[in-house]
Amino acid sequence: MSQCLSCVHCGAEYDIRKIRYVCDCGGVLDVKHDLSKLDGAKLVELWERRWGAKRGIEASGVWRYRELMFDVHDEFIATKPEGNTRLYPGGKAAEFAGLPRLLLKHEGENPTGSFKDRGMTCGMTAALMFNSKSVACASTGNTSASMAAYAASRGLPAVIFIPSGKIAYGKLAQALAYGGLTLQIDGNFDDAMALVREVCDEMGIYLLNSINPFRIEGQKAIVFETLQQLDWRVPDWFVPGGKLGNNSALSKGLMELHELGIIDKIPRIAVIQAEGANPLYKMWRDKTEYQPVRDPDTIATAIKIGDPVSWEKSIRGLEWSDGIVEQVTEQEIMDAKAMVDAAGIGAEPASCCCVAGAKKLAEAGVIPKDADVVGILTGNILKDPDAVIGYHQDTLEDRNIKGTYANTPISIKPELEAVKNVLVEKALEKL
Ligand code: F0G
């Protein structure tokens, strides 16, 4: 067996063939690979050969890199396939950030519309490998949408715990439509997370939150695929947003590629958190112990989380990459989103933290203007239509957010003259 589970906190190792989510010391677990058995140059050759596979497991943008996932028989692999997402020039979003070389990796182009599918293909595969009969997760929406879809495609019941009234409509719609048993908890995500852990322990349901070490393995494929799209040229900066699973996966993937000699440059990682859900930022800024944030709040509901489980993995990646943590306001998130959307790319609010943060860091001179920067967009624009409409109709005053770049719909009479008047007013009459 060339892999085991290893504790990020104390280094204890466990058998990967037995279900386990945390170490006896309470620390989170990683899949640890014996990289000495792998040859970096041969892997790149293999991955290049698989690129563009038309069907089957190798068509997956996760299992293309299966040598760095985990050993499993093909029959268990639950793939749609996922990944193979685009890497866009930043366009208007790059101009807005003052970083002309900004690229945006759009993980909202995955099968259920978020980057969660990358981790979920691995999580669901592990569930099948362990012969689990049901799966569960707590979620702000995207994980549940993804889990419900993968469970449905393999005929497994899915139990979903969501914070009541706090998830975006597109995501709730998916969970219901894919047939997940959806339990709305009177509490926030952190309450739902505590409950699902208890339920899974007690009832033997397989837990598919990112505390599940196999989930993070799949999410590493974002960085593998980005680098393959860049012909293995390493950018200067990666800018993930979030609640810390994503950036933990990113740095783990980079560390493995570096150890294998596939890359020789270490890019810097800038983790961007929303101001209202910023435990890692506070710890970083104040050089204090980790402290969860009570009652987290942000319009980016996907990352409205006060106690992210992966914070220790995040710190490891930040130290390794000489990384930094930044926070962004509600207004900065939504203005950045307006620019990502106006670039014709489009993403949900949480995703756009990365552009808001990149802009802030460029203005502060931390990221040089000519740097090669890759931002990770995590979710599709259609996931949260309320946030989009609220911004463009300028009705987000309860959050103190102004529709700075609002594209407000205009009501007119159904007459040619009325159309002409609007076009003149908007200086579009020469169309
Ligand atoms: N972006 C989006 C769109 C998300 O849905 C999430 C997390 C994140 C970023 C942060 O993820 O922890 O991997 O960095 N959503 C979870 C969910 C909590 O339940 O869907 P991370």
Side-chain angles (χ1 to χ4, degrees), residues 115-116 139-140 142-143 243-246 302-303 305 348 378:
F115 75 115
K116 300 290 181 186
S139 182
T140 55
N142 280 325
T143 300
K243 175 234 44 124
L244 313 183
N246 197 9
I303 52 172
I305 292 165
E348 67 162 287
T378 44

Side-chain angles (χ1 to χ4, degrees), residues 93-94 96-99 102 104 239-241 270-275 326-340 349-364 367 375-377:
F96 170 75
L99 292 165
L102 174 69
L104 295 172
V239 188
V271 179
I272 316 297
Q273 294 207 295
E275 202 177 60
E326 183 54 278
Q327 66 173 358
V328 286
T329 64
E330 300 288 273
Q331 186 72 49
E332 286 167 337
I333 293 171
M334 291 307 285
D335 285 346
K337 174 175 156 50
M339 290 298 132
V340 171
S351 304
C352 301
C353 286
C354 73
V355 172
K359 174 178 164 63
K360 217 164 177 175
L361 293 169
E363 280 166 1
I367 302 185
I376 316 287
L377 300 178

Side-chain angles (χ1 to χ4, degrees), residues 47-106:
W47 297 341
E48 289 296 333
R49 262 207 313 277
R50 289 177 186 158
W51 186 263
K54 288 183 182 157
R55 62 188 76 81
I57 293 166
E58 290 181 2
S60 161
V62 171
W63 296 100
R64 179 187 305 128
Y65 312 101
R66 66 186 293 179
E67 293 71 22
L68 291 183
M69 296 298 138
F70 52 97
D71 295 336
V72 61
H73 290 298
D74 287 6
E75 69 194 277
F76 297 125
I77 294 183
T79 176
K80 284 183 169 296
E82 43 294 308
N84 303 309
T85 61
R86 292 174 191 85
L87 181 64
Y88 291 99
K92 269 193 182 160
E95 260 170 55
F96 170 75
L99 292 165
R101 299 168 71 89
L102 174 69
L103 299 174
L104 295 172
K105 176 73 170 157
H106 205 335

Side-chain angles (χ1 to χ4, degrees), residues 114-116 137-144 171 189 209-210 215-216 219 241-248 301-303 305 308 310 348 350-351 378-380:
S114 86
F115 75 115
K116 300 290 181 186
C137 71
S139 182
T140 55
N142 280 325
T143 300
S144 52
K171 305 173 189 182
F189 172 86
N209 277 99
S210 58
R215 285 268 319 273
I216 297 291
Q219 284 177 210
K243 175 234 44 124
L244 313 183
N246 197 9
N247 70 75
S248 302
T301 50
I303 52 172
I305 292 165
S310 300
E348 67 162 287
S351 304
T378 44
N380 191 284

Side-chain angles (χ1 to χ4, degrees), residues 3-4 12 18 22 79 95 127 161 189 194 214 241 266 277 292 298 303 313 327 345 356 362 382 394:
Q3 293 122 10
C4 66
K18 297 208 172 101
V22 285
T79 176
E95 260 170 55
F161 295 76
F189 172 86
F214 297 103
I266 299 180
T298 167
I303 52 172
K313 292 184 181 177
Q327 66 173 358
I345 299 171
L382 293 175
D394 204 4

